[in-house]
Amino acid sequence: MKLLAAIALGGAAGALGRHFVAAGMVAWFGHGFPIGTLVVNVVGSFVMGALVETMALVWSPPLELRALLTVGLLGAFTTFSTFSLDVVTLYQRGEAAQAALYIAASFVLSVGALFAGMRLLRMVLA
């Protein structure tokens, strides 16, 4: 139960962080380009890399804190950071082809699923 509470707490903080960063970017740059999403994804991926490396080399926090920071906070701040970690993990295991397949499949299937969801709802609601 403590683990779930830690993830939920981190998730709430990450979602709020995402909102405020994205809103700040829109206030600075306008709506023309999704700079807020880009900034969130890049910052989240950088922080995930730094955090995972720190936990691997010099810091071993309790499972609840690890989950709060990675799954909760960064997972809600940007799922792209988790995606990036998965790609790098595959690559570092010597599975470059699997990493490339994961990148391609994630992009094609996720964007395709978004279009499919939109089309389905248009058909149902029209």
Side-chain angles (χ1 to χ4, degrees):
M1 193 63 172
K2 285 173 51 178
L3 180 64
L4 296 179
I7 292 169
L9 179 63
L16 288 171
R18 179 183 186 90
H19 167 74
F20 288 121
V21 169
M25 293 297 104
V26 167
W28 284 354
F29 299 103
H31 289 282
F33 183 81
I35 189 77
T37 301
L38 179 61
V39 167
V40 163
N41 287 337
V42 171
V43 168
S45 294
F46 177 84
V47 172
M48 179 70 86
L51 185 59
V52 166
E53 197 66 11
T54 299
M55 289 189 293
L57 297 176
V58 296
W59 184 46
S60 185
L63 177 62
E64 291 83 7
L65 182 56
R66 184 181 299 253
L68 182 144
L69 294 172
T70 58
V71 178
L73 181 70
L74 290 173
F77 186 67
T78 170
T79 57
F80 203 82
S81 60
T82 305
F83 167 79
S84 299
L85 178 60
D86 291 341
V87 169
V88 170
T89 298
L90 287 169
Y91 181 79
Q92 288 182 337
R93 288 183 189 157
E95 300 173 11
Q98 289 290 84
L101 176 63
Y102 181 58
I103 292 167
S106 294
F107 177 76
V108 170
L109 295 174
S110 296
V111 173
L114 187 136
F115 276 120
M118 291 172 65
R119 182 167 177 86
L120 175 65
L121 266 290
R122 285 181 187 151
M123 289 172 23
V124 170
L125 299 175

